[in-house]
Amino acid sequence: MIEQERMAIIDVGSNSIRLVIYGIDAKRRYRSLYNLKIAARLSEYLNEEDALKREGFIVLTQVFTQFKAVLDAQNVNHVEAVATAAIRRATNQQDILQHINQSMGITIRVLSGEEEAYYGYLATINSTNIKDGLMFDMGGSSTEVVYFKNREIVESYSFPIGALTLAKMWNEDQASMKRIRHVAHEHFRQLSWLKKLGVPLIGVGGSVRQLAAVHRKRQQYPVSGLHQYEMTDTQLHDTFHYLRKIPPVKRSEIAGLSQERAGNIVPAGLFIAELMRHTEGKNLIISRKGLRDGILYDKLLQDRQTRRFVNVKRETIYQLMREFNLSDTYGKAVYSLARSYYHLLFPNDTDEERAQIEQLLLFSSHLRMLGHYIDEEHAHAHTLNVLINRSLDGFTHEERISLALLSSFTSIKRLRKKALQYKRILHGRWIRKLEILGAIIRMAASLYVTGREIIAKVELKNVGRSRYLQFVFHVKKGESYYFEQQHATLSLRQLERATKTKYRMIFTEEDQS
């Protein structure tokens, strides 16, 4: 990626202050270069009148001094500094902003609760494929909620309560649980639209990520990354009760839980569980994209009124192709052949099945050569490892594994061996279909092995009483096909094993005149 500019986002939160520097190229591709955080806990430096105390000014100065040194060294073109609940609450807000501006030359924009909710929504809508949902972003001193339908905002709100304020109410007893439940429902009752929404909850912020990380570790979940990790309401409640029963001094030792979050994870978990109960949420989906990502998308997509990607999955594949220098011509050619095979072998699939599988074949065809960018000798293994171990925006974990298995397919034996690791996510019937689809893609790639589109049409015929079905490849007039036939013969064996059917191949020259 050739950088055109560098953009920095500074997020001044109630709990921590974070600096992220992005490299951005001319085609809107971006990459996070530096991600630095300091646990400043600004909300603890607000006095009874909600004015930031002298100690708070000292902490802010120290943090921005460290950040300024990094910004100067990294040649950042543009700095976007925003502040949320702690500074929003501060009665001496203007003194704070003026102090940082005069001492550091950095202008901080204080976000309203509505703006903070909007950026969280932008991050969610541009990194998942969810159509209807309730996004909530729990910070240290506030929690933003956004209800969206057909990917459009319907309602939004900012509750003046977060993980740190909840922690102050918590004393590790039944009275604490009653107090937080009461406070939660007092807030929830303010919003009539929040009751019984019956949509997925999309959780943003450190607290919900930590709950998911603990659950993931306990379940020995086989897929890396928390983005789009899913939990049921039962699993969320079980995780909360598991954490509650562990003595506070021991919580920081729990696998998946950071020491920083150990002190407030239980009250935060209770609040989230009550939100899920109140809205009758179907499931909880974790998003690693939040406020900072929303601000970045707002800049990258400023030429679009909606500030949204048209198709999140296609955007993810587009970004991968640019990163690994993949050929769109190759992907389209392999997909065209793979799609022909699929229609011949599965003529009775429903329209819904066909749309799902055609999209999977399209993306897999375009990513098949990904591993060659790393090392040609073990290209397919590299393709698998990159896609399995990387969060892919818009793709569920099941879709991500399926995409990795198809893009890296070499043989049924290897696919089955790898799929065994994910048997809790992929059911047996789907794995069997992936075997056929993988063989289809390999077969299609074989017919493009010389980088020429020489096959005009593919047919599947049942000739007379022959026990073999015949694939007939119509070759464009005047084109040689020695290498295509050679590679297709080897690939055909995998298709035969997958479909448990014997085939013959016939290459015939087509007159294009």
Side-chain angles (χ1 to χ4, degrees):
M1 185 181 101
I2 301 174
E3 289 180 18
Q4 188 180 51
E5 64 173 308
R6 286 192 173 186
M7 174 184 178
I9 296 175
I10 299 175
D11 176 6
V12 184
S14 303
N15 189 36
S16 61
I17 305 177
R18 190 181 292 268
L19 165 68
V20 183
I21 299 176
Y22 299 94
I24 304 171
D25 73 6
K27 293 285 184 120
R28 205 178 59 235
R29 171 165 162 65
Y30 64 92
R31 181 176 57 170
S32 174
L33 303 175
Y34 301 93
N35 193 323
L36 308 168
K37 183 181 79 167
I38 296 177
R41 293 186 178 270
L42 283 183
S43 62
E44 296 182 3
Y45 295 100
L46 295 175
N47 63 22
E48 293 179 357
E49 287 77 37
D50 277 343
L52 189 69
K53 295 185 286 189
R54 179 176 176 275
E55 296 89 339
F57 276 86
I58 293 172
V59 169
L60 260 181
T61 302
Q62 291 173 340
V63 170
F64 272 83
T65 298
Q66 298 299 323
F67 286 172
K68 186 69 163 58
V70 176
L71 291 170
D72 290 344
Q74 294 304 324
N75 300 314
V76 173
N77 305 90
H78 174 67
V79 178
E80 183 78 21
V82 298
T84 53
I87 305 298
R88 192 160 61 225
R89 280 174 50 199
T91 54
N92 56 344
Q93 180 187 116
Q94 289 305 313
D95 293 336
I96 298 169
L97 304 182
Q98 187 176 9
H99 170 70
I100 296 299
N101 183 258
Q102 290 180 350
S103 60
M104 301 293 166
I106 295 174
T107 300
I108 300 176
R109 178 164 58 106
V110 180
L111 300 179
S112 66
E114 186 178 70
E115 287 176 312
E116 193 174 351
Y118 172 71
Y119 286 129
Y121 156 78
L122 273 191
T124 297
I125 219 72
N126 283 310
S127 65
T128 71
N129 208 39
I130 301 166
K131 186 178 178 183
D132 306 327
L134 178 75
M135 185 283 298
F136 71 91
D137 183 355
M138 177 178 279
S141 300
S142 69
T143 300
E144 284 66 47
V145 290
V146 176
Y147 170 48
F148 60 91
K149 190 173 180 62
N150 292 321
R151 302 177 69 78
E152 297 279 359
I153 291 182
V154 178
E155 302 281 358
S156 68
Y157 191 76
S158 178
F159 294 115
I161 189 167
L164 295 180
T165 47
L166 289 166
K168 292 176 183 178
M169 305 177 193
W170 184 254
N171 293 317
E172 302 292 339
D173 55 16
Q174 288 295 323
S176 298
M177 291 185 65
K178 289 181 180 178
R179 183 161 51 248
I180 287 178
R181 281 178 173 147
H182 174 74
V183 168
H185 286 279
E186 282 297 304
H187 283 293
F188 300 158
R189 273 195 285 270
Q190 297 175 37
L191 308 177
S192 59
W193 56 264
L194 197 61
K195 182 75 172 175
K196 297 183 179 180
L197 281 176
V199 296
L201 269 64
I202 301 92
V204 177
S207 295
V208 73
R209 286 199 302 269
Q210 290 286 282
L211 286 167
V214 170
H215 181 262
R216 182 178 174 276
K217 286 285 186 182
R218 292 184 71 206
Q219 298 295 314
Q220 296 183 317
Y221 189 71
V223 180
S224 63
L226 285 173
H227 188 55
Q228 299 181 157
Y229 182 79
E230 296 190 31
M231 298 171 67
T232 64
D233 56 345
T234 301
Q235 290 169 334
L236 175 61
H237 281 87
D238 286 348
T239 303
F240 161 71
H241 287 296
Y242 164 74
L243 290 167
R244 185 177 67 86
K245 292 174 183 177
I246 294 174
V249 293
K250 294 285 187 181
R251 280 185 196 139
S252 60
E253 301 173 11
I254 298 172
L257 183 60
S258 69
Q259 188 171 1
E260 178 190 345
R261 299 281 177 181
N264 55 42
I265 190 66
V266 174
L270 178 57
F271 186 90
I272 293 167
E274 291 304 307
L275 178 63
M276 195 166 188
R277 188 198 304 272
H278 184 81
T279 62
E280 297 186 4
K282 294 182 177 180
N283 55 325
L284 172 62
I285 303 170
I286 310 303
S287 173
R288 286 195 62 85
K289 304 295 180 73
L291 173 68
R292 293 176 299 278
D293 303 279
I295 292 171
L296 177 67
Y297 291 137
D298 191 51
K299 174 179 172 56
L300 294 178
L301 301 173
Q302 58 188 336
D303 58 326
R304 302 184 188 184
Q305 187 176 356
T306 62
R307 298 296 200 273
R308 297 201 305 265
F309 294 126
V310 175
N311 185 304
V312 177
K313 289 182 178 179
R314 286 180 183 272
E315 182 66 23
T316 297
I317 300 302
Y318 167 76
Q319 299 285 7
L320 274 173
M321 290 178 65
R322 285 186 56 77
E323 181 176 347
F324 290 92
N325 197 29
L326 300 176
S327 166
D328 187 49
T329 301
Y330 175 90
K332 287 178 178 177
V334 172
Y335 169 65
S336 177
L337 290 165
R339 186 174 179 271
S340 296
Y341 272 109
Y342 165 64
H343 280 268
L344 291 171
L345 293 171
F346 294 98
N348 298 320
D349 273 3
T350 65
D351 290 343
E352 184 178 353
E353 288 172 323
R354 187 173 294 112
Q356 176 195 10
I357 288 173
E358 285 184 353
Q359 186 178 72
L360 191 54
L361 289 174
L362 174 68
F363 296 152
S364 301
S365 297
H366 278 80
L367 298 181
R368 185 165 176 80
M369 299 295 285
L370 186 151
H372 285 258
Y373 182 87
I374 302 170
D375 174 42
E376 186 176 353
E377 186 177 359
H378 303 289
H380 295 298
H382 289 305
T383 299
L384 179 71
N385 289 332
V386 168
L387 297 178
I388 283 285
N389 295 299
R390 181 169 180 150
S391 291
L392 300 178
D393 290 350
F395 291 84
T396 66
H397 286 196
E398 179 183 5
E399 290 171 336
R400 182 172 124 203
I401 297 165
S402 300
L403 181 66
L405 292 173
L406 290 188
S407 300
S408 64
F409 182 89
T410 56
S411 70
I412 292 170
K413 182 179 179 180
R414 288 181 181 176
L415 185 146
R416 286 177 181 171
K417 183 178 179 180
K418 197 65 184 178
L420 277 175
Q421 300 176 39
Y422 308 104
K423 60 184 179 181
R424 291 164 50 192
I425 300 171
L426 303 177
H427 57 77
R429 184 181 175 188
W430 179 240
I431 291 173
R432 288 191 290 276
K433 192 143 193 175
L434 287 177
E435 292 172 4
I436 301 174
L437 297 177
I440 284 174
I441 289 181
R442 176 173 167 173
M443 195 68 185
S446 297
L447 295 171
Y448 193 69
V449 70
T450 62
R452 299 174 300 149
E453 294 187 62
I454 67 167
I455 306 298
K457 186 172 67 173
V458 182
E459 292 182 293
L460 181 61
K461 294 184 176 182
N462 190 344
V463 182
R465 297 182 179 181
S466 173
R467 61 192 182 95
Y468 294 103
L469 290 171
Q470 291 184 354
F471 277 112
V472 181
F473 302 111
H474 296 268
V475 181
K476 293 178 182 178
K477 187 174 180 61
E479 296 284 3
S480 60
Y481 53 86
Y482 173 82
F483 295 107
E484 285 76 12
Q485 185 175 29
Q486 183 186 56
H487 282 258
T489 300
L490 295 173
S491 298
L492 186 65
R493 296 172 188 169
Q494 296 300 320
L495 189 62
E496 288 178 331
R497 289 170 187 166
T499 59
K500 297 180 174 58
T501 305
K502 287 290 185 181
Y503 301 100
R504 281 183 176 165
M505 294 191 306
I506 298 174
F507 284 77
T508 180
E509 188 173 293
E510 186 173 85
D511 188 349
Q512 295 292 301
S513 61

